[in-house]
Amino acid sequence: MKKILATGLTLLLLTACSSESTTTNEEAKKPEQSEVDKENKKTSEGSASPKNDTEQEETSEPSEEAVQSKDYTINENNWSINPIGDANPKVVLLTIDDAPDQHALQMANDLKALNAPAIFFVNGHFLDTPEEKETLKKIHDMGFAIGNHTFSHSSLKEISPEKQKEEIVSLNDLIESIIGERPKFFRAPFGQNTDYSRQVAAEEKMSLMNWTYGYDWEKQYQNKEAIIDIMVNSPYLNDGANLLMHDRTWTSEGLSDIVKGLRDKGYETLDPNRIKTVE
């Protein structure tokens, strides 16, 4: 795993996929948000109350017919997931970055047991061996969406346009060789897209995706109990929240309880196949 040190609040985004954080105590109380999300305060705080067991059972997962419909869009103003028409607004999207490292397969098994869809955003440097490639295929075969998180997790703003294209397209080629299809979602390392990476993603027919909140790289949340609590009780949890998590020990240990906690609050874990993407 690459380690990327944040140097201050203005570089808070750069901690999103690093293994450690040097954020100050005051900053550590804040969730990670994408650059656009920080600038755009349109997302309101969630205010829904927990539903009773019957209501949860009715809304916890979409019907087979609903899964086939494209009834949600990505709001690029704040990276939340918005319903189209009368689709249920009370949803959250689960995403796992830096896969498949050490825990992705276990996380996929735990999510599958709960019938909780998610996107696994993969890095090419975690697909070096036949075993790693087989892990990715197993995750895909369980029904999980596979997203592009670049080949080597480089900051796209710091490399040439040619290298940016290589980082994105070569990983798509590799993923397709393993699972038989190309990703439909692209998440830039640290949430840092460039004009050129946006162009390449569009050419590759991938929708851009950042996140609305995440915490598991912050030292104070690097244990099971803390990550469960903050992911379920974040002030940024609201309708359409786009949750960023990583292939890490504490997140893996807490994942099932995170899903259960979100559902206890009445949120549906959204199938990414229902999100309208670039055609």
Side-chain angles (χ1 to χ4, degrees):
M1 281 295 268
K2 295 190 176 181
K3 296 186 178 181
I4 300 170
L5 301 177
T7 59
L9 183 58
T10 59
L11 295 178
L12 183 58
L13 262 178
L14 295 180
T15 64
C17 296
S18 62
S19 299
E20 298 177 353
S21 171
T22 57
T23 313
T24 66
N25 289 335
E26 279 302 308
E27 291 166 348
K29 296 177 183 178
K30 301 176 182 178
E32 184 69 15
Q33 295 173 275
S34 65
E35 291 176 335
V36 175
D37 193 24
K38 286 179 179 178
E39 297 169 359
N40 192 306
K41 303 297 184 181
K42 293 182 180 179
T43 305
S44 60
E45 295 184 2
S47 59
S49 301
K51 295 186 177 183
N52 61 39
D53 292 342
T54 302
E55 290 172 316
Q56 287 176 231
E57 183 175 348
E58 291 175 349
T59 62
S60 62
E61 293 300 335
S63 66
E64 192 67 29
E65 180 179 353
V67 167
Q68 304 305 316
S69 61
K70 303 291 186 180
D71 47 4
Y72 290 86
T73 60
I74 302 169
N75 183 344
E76 292 192 12
N77 290 317
N78 54 33
W79 302 109
S80 62
I81 308 301
N82 294 167
I84 299 172
D86 59 357
N88 178 24
K90 198 170 180 63
V91 299
V92 292
L93 180 68
L94 306 178
T95 70
I96 313 294
D97 277 17
D98 297 348
D101 192 5
Q102 300 179 39
H103 307 287
L105 186 56
Q106 181 61 55
M107 296 171 88
N109 283 324
D110 291 341
L111 290 170
K112 186 69 174 178
L114 293 170
N115 191 26
I119 303 174
F120 283 78
F121 282 96
V122 307
N123 302 124
H125 60 249
F126 291 131
L127 297 170
D128 293 330
T129 68
E131 292 77 17
E132 290 171 334
K133 293 175 182 177
E134 181 61 24
T135 293
L136 180 63
K137 188 175 187 305
K138 287 178 180 178
I139 293 171
H140 172 263
D141 289 348
M142 280 191 276
F144 293 101
I146 305 300
N148 183 317
H149 199 36
T150 74
F151 198 94
S152 66
H153 203 278
S154 298
S155 172
L156 297 178
K157 291 184 175 182
E158 298 177 3
I159 59 179
S160 68
E162 293 78 15
K163 184 62 176 176
Q164 291 180 52
K165 185 170 185 178
E166 181 182 345
E167 283 282 325
I168 297 168
V169 177
S170 66
L171 179 56
N172 274 359
D173 292 341
L174 178 57
I175 291 172
E176 184 177 26
S177 73
I178 297 169
I179 67 172
E181 61 185 60
R182 299 174 83 78
K184 296 180 179 178
F185 299 101
F186 175 68
R187 175 173 279 163
F190 323 114
Q192 293 181 324
N193 278 293
T194 66
D195 289 342
Y196 188 67
S197 71
R198 291 185 180 93
Q199 176 184 324
V200 173
E203 291 171 353
E204 288 287 302
K205 297 184 178 180
M206 291 189 295
S207 296
L208 300 179
M209 180 174 288
N210 282 355
W211 58 89
T212 58
Y213 74 84
Y215 297 86
D216 62 1
W217 54 90
E218 296 284 358
K219 186 174 182 180
Q220 70 191 89
Y221 301 116
Q222 291 180 9
N223 64 79
K224 176 182 176 180
E225 292 74 20
I227 195 61
I228 292 170
D229 181 66
I230 193 63
M231 291 303 291
V232 174
N233 298 306
S234 169
Y236 292 88
L237 174 61
N238 49 50
D239 292 358
N242 188 337
L243 277 55
L244 171 61
M245 294 175 281
H246 294 79
D247 181 339
R248 295 181 180 175
T249 301
W250 46 92
T251 310
S252 177
E253 291 173 347
L255 187 56
S256 293
D257 286 333
I258 290 170
V259 172
K260 292 173 184 176
L262 293 167
R263 288 177 173 172
D264 285 345
K265 289 191 169 186
Y267 287 94
E268 174 187 325
T269 50
L270 181 66
D271 188 334
N273 290 317
R274 298 174 68 184
I275 300 173
K276 187 175 182 180
T277 55
V278 177
E279 296 298 335

